[in-house]
Amino acid sequence: MSEIKIGLETHVQLDTRTKLFCGCPNEEAEGPNTHTCEVCLGLPGSKPRTNEKAVEAGLETGLALDCDIAEEVVFSRKTYFYPDMSKNFQITQYEEPIAEDGELEIDGNAIGIKRVHIEEDPAKLVHRGGSMEQADYTLVDYNRAGVPLLEVVTRPDFESPGEARRFLQKLTRILEYLGVYDRGSSSIRSDANISVGGGNRVEVKNINGTRGVEEALEHERKRQERVHGRGEEVRRETRNWDSEAEKTTSLRSKEEEQDYGYIFEPDLVEVEVESGRVEGARKRLPELPDEKRSRFIEEYGIEEELADSLITDPNLADTFEEASEEVGAELAASWFSGPIKKTLNYHEISYSESPLKEEWVVDVLRRLQQGEVSDQAAEKVFREMVEEPREPGEIIEDEGLARSRGDELEGYVEEAIEENDEAVADYRGGDGEAINFLVGKVMEKSGGSADPKEVRELLEENLD
Ligand code: ZN
Ligand code: MN
């Protein structure tokens, strides 16, 4: 296979409460154009103001990706016309991104991070009646205008489409750990540069999601190989990825960054980033996925495979730790890699998406350990908690899953008889009082919870 070079420019929507330059809510809206104001509609005279949380997210992401942090946060206007942008410019960072020159390791290969910056999302165009080319007309929804985006630009260090996908999976996991990304609602869109066999670089635009990146790049790789195969040169251009048709089509010959005529945004003040603030953010950084993975393997002695699956979801990882503390790592590991995983896989949901709660999971494992429920019953409780969410205690009662009290007591009686030959012989030899000793032993085994009268009757039945 010929040598491949891939670089990514990825936009991730940040999960902030409000938009980047106004107070409009950054959340799912009931109807189009309802989460809007004069700023995100770009009305004349409106003035933007910067969302501190978005800046914070940019800072933390930069640190998590081992970047150098800028000394000040400066925004610029990127000027171009497109109907999704009523101001005719996008507020972004150009001259000085919030973070640059970082690195992220993917399976032993260090991927260079060129820059990380913050910018606003444009509005959403809704093409009615088909794709952009076939639509009868197009609507504009400004709910998305001004949603904060984090743009991460890598160096062309990926050697395969699969590696690019794994990078995005790892990046979004880090952002999830930082609490700035919600995999359920935040969109992730990439443009990718790819050149095959030392030929010209082609930019593929509009790729959605993480898996989409691998698909689009595989297609473009094969297309470039076919061009080479015909003895032709690959044209340097921008191509559009059409995920439905599964092909790329030529959009335009590549424009250059300077064509956008960047100027500093005069309506926003420059924010100085003091070193104290950077240090504060560094201290606040949570334990990141790679660190957690190594610690889990060492601290709990679990298999790499289980560690990998636990860290995919920070909530799952937390629940595992809590469960290990309560019932021991061995029991927790076998249930997290077994029945719990099986139940989630069956419903094709992640732990975070499931109705399971940490206290419920721990409660079931505790009851299992104390012999209150059998393995099969505990498994059933997990299934029920996902299918018809309620507390484990309720499920056990509703479904009659507790080990029956009678069975338990019967067991204690048999044990007491087996373990106390002398008292048994005395009783059988006619010493009626000897049974009191045996009742005492059974009471002890039941932790004092048995009814002494019932115990006496059971003993008499068994001894006569
Ligand atoms: Zn607004
Ligand atoms: Mn961008």
Side-chain angles (χ1 to χ4, degrees), residues 19 22-24 35-40:
K19 292 185 180 181
C22 63
C24 289
H35 289 174
T36 52
C37 69
E38 64 277 11
V39 173
C40 54

Side-chain angles (χ1 to χ4, degrees), residues 145-163:
V147 165
L149 293 178
L150 194 76
E151 180 168 338
V152 177
V153 182
T154 77
R155 299 196 185 280
D157 292 341
F158 300 105
E159 290 163 1
S160 72
E163 195 175 27

Side-chain angles (χ1 to χ4, degrees), residues 9-44:
E9 287 182 27
T10 298
H11 293 91
V12 183
Q13 283 182 338
L14 291 174
D15 185 27
T16 50
R17 203 171 51 79
T18 54
K19 292 185 180 181
L20 185 51
F21 298 116
C22 63
C24 289
N26 174 21
E27 60 183 33
E28 195 86 34
E30 295 245 321
N33 295 306
T34 51
H35 289 174
T36 52
C37 69
E38 64 277 11
V39 173
C40 54
L41 289 172
L43 300 186

Side-chain angles (χ1 to χ4, degrees), residues 69-83:
I69 305 298
E71 284 170 12
E72 50 189 14
V73 177
V74 191
F75 288 95
S76 295
R77 294 180 173 183
K78 177 180 183 176
T79 306
Y80 61 98
F81 168 76
Y82 207 68

